[in-house]
Amino acid sequence: MPKVWWPKAPEPGTTPIHLCVPIWDYDDRYLGQAIVPHVIAGPYHLVRKPDFLEEHQIKVILCIRDPSEQRFLRAVDLPNIEFKFLDVPADVRKTNIIPYFVEATKIIHDLVNTEQNVLVCCSDGIDKSA
């Protein structure tokens, strides 16, 4: 659950959007971020953190990677966790990536409907998985 800052009284000049903001630190980019129930986005290195996977009851890992990353972003032998991969070209200026959104959305939607927790990851957790 993200930490939330609730001010006691708005400072002069505070806009409504700033009345409730998640407290996020740059170092949090290394952590999984809950997006909606059953969906966590983050970096691939979380795959190698069994405590994180167990704590969040991750059942499926959807790794979105560039085809050139297949050598190092690959399935790891984890009990009771299924890996799914989506190979998305990194150069989005030359590639229509909309079909990949459709495919990723379908995978995530199917998992959420069955109440399975999914970690959506890419190499750094700030690009393709976002």
Side-chain angles (χ1 to χ4, degrees):
M1 191 65 127
K3 301 169 276 187
V4 177
W5 170 71
W6 294 95
K8 292 182 182 167
E11 296 291 324
T14 301
T15 60
I17 193 75
H18 293 106
L19 290 177
C20 176
V21 295
I23 297 174
W24 188 84
D25 215 70
Y26 186 66
D27 290 335
D28 289 345
R29 71 190 187 282
Y30 297 116
L31 307 173
Q33 307 293 316
I35 306 301
V36 294
H38 305 292
V39 180
I40 296 174
Y44 175 80
H45 80 85
L46 294 174
V47 167
R48 301 189 186 279
K49 296 193 175 278
D51 292 344
F52 173 86
L53 299 172
E54 185 177 324
E55 176 186 343
H56 293 90
Q57 300 175 350
I58 300 297
K59 298 297 178 197
V60 178
I61 296 171
L62 173 59
C63 183
I64 302 173
R65 63 188 178 187
D66 181 80
S68 67
E69 296 173 320
Q70 291 178 0
R71 293 174 289 137
F72 53 92
L73 299 182
R74 59 184 187 270
V76 177
D77 187 23
L78 296 168
N80 304 316
I81 296 179
E82 177 186 356
F83 273 85
K84 294 178 182 277
F85 293 94
L86 218 57
D87 291 332
V88 179
D91 192 352
V92 297
R93 294 170 298 169
K94 296 180 180 177
T95 306
N96 177 8
I97 62 169
I98 292 173
Y100 299 101
F101 282 104
V102 173
E103 189 174 351
T105 301
K106 181 182 178 345
I107 292 169
I108 293 167
H109 183 74
D110 290 347
L111 294 167
V112 168
N113 281 343
T114 59
E115 298 185 356
Q116 293 184 69
N117 292 351
V118 58
L119 169 64
V120 181
C121 66
C122 63
S123 59
D124 296 324
I126 57 173
D127 186 13
K128 295 175 197 73
S129 65

